[in-house]
Amino acid sequence: MFKFKKDKYSNNRGGNSTLLKISCQYCGTHICFYQKDGPGELRRMYCDRIIYPKELVEDVKVANFNELKPLKCKGCNRIIAMPMIYEKEKRFALRLFVGAVKKQKTTIKEFEN
Ligand SMILES: [Zn+2]
């Protein structure tokens, strides 16, 4: 069963997390599920918060920043996010291009189906 990650990062953002379904703005292809911690716009996706699909979770689980690849939509091949390091927390992330993705709030129940 899926559970939200609870750690210093989520605590720093107020402790509340939501589950987001991320899809490509251009062609609608589903990209991933993402745990968003705290309020505010989604500008970047932290690699340790990408939940699904497994291939992407594995892809972003890298030791070196240089191994992190731009995130491409499988449907239309557009690059929708670029690797970055969030310096404050020394955390790998993918910076989303403005307007590149659709974000839909979803529930754990829906995710598990
Ligand atoms: Zn696309």
Side-chain angles (χ1 to χ4, degrees), residues 23-29 31 72-78 80 100:
S23 33
C24 175
Q25 185 74 265
Y26 307 103
C27 73
T29 298
I31 309 280
K72 261 190 190 177
C73 170
K74 287 207 173 94
C76 65
N77 233 23
R78 281 189 172 87
I80 56 175

Side-chain angles (χ1 to χ4, degrees), residues 28-88:
T29 298
H30 178 241
I31 309 280
C32 67
F33 282 93
Y34 182 75
Q35 175 183 334
K36 165 95 167 66
D37 300 320
E41 265 298 298
L42 183 74
R43 291 194 192 86
R44 65 187 89 88
M45 295 194 289
Y46 297 102
C47 292
D48 54 280
R49 291 298 191 265
I50 295 170
I51 294 155
Y52 183 89
K54 240 168 67 185
E55 308 89 71
L56 182 58
V57 174
E58 288 305 315
D59 275 356
V60 297
K61 222 191 265 174
V62 295
N64 297 307
F65 179 69
N66 293 338
E67 295 170 40
L68 207 53
K69 289 182 272 303
L71 181 62
K72 261 190 190 177
C73 170
K74 287 207 173 94
C76 65
N77 233 23
R78 281 189 172 87
I79 295 175
I80 56 175
M82 293 297 285
M84 64 167 288
I85 298 177
Y86 184 60
E87 279 299 333
K88 237 172 103 182

Side-chain angles (χ1 to χ4, degrees), residues 91-110:
R91 232 169 140 197
F92 293 165
L94 295 165
R95 188 196 310 273
L96 292 161
F97 286 113
V98 177
V101 295
K102 239 187 296 195
K103 295 147 268 189
Q104 242 182 307
K105 250 192 186 174
T106 186
T107 59
I108 290 174
K109 219 174 161 186
E110 196 196 322

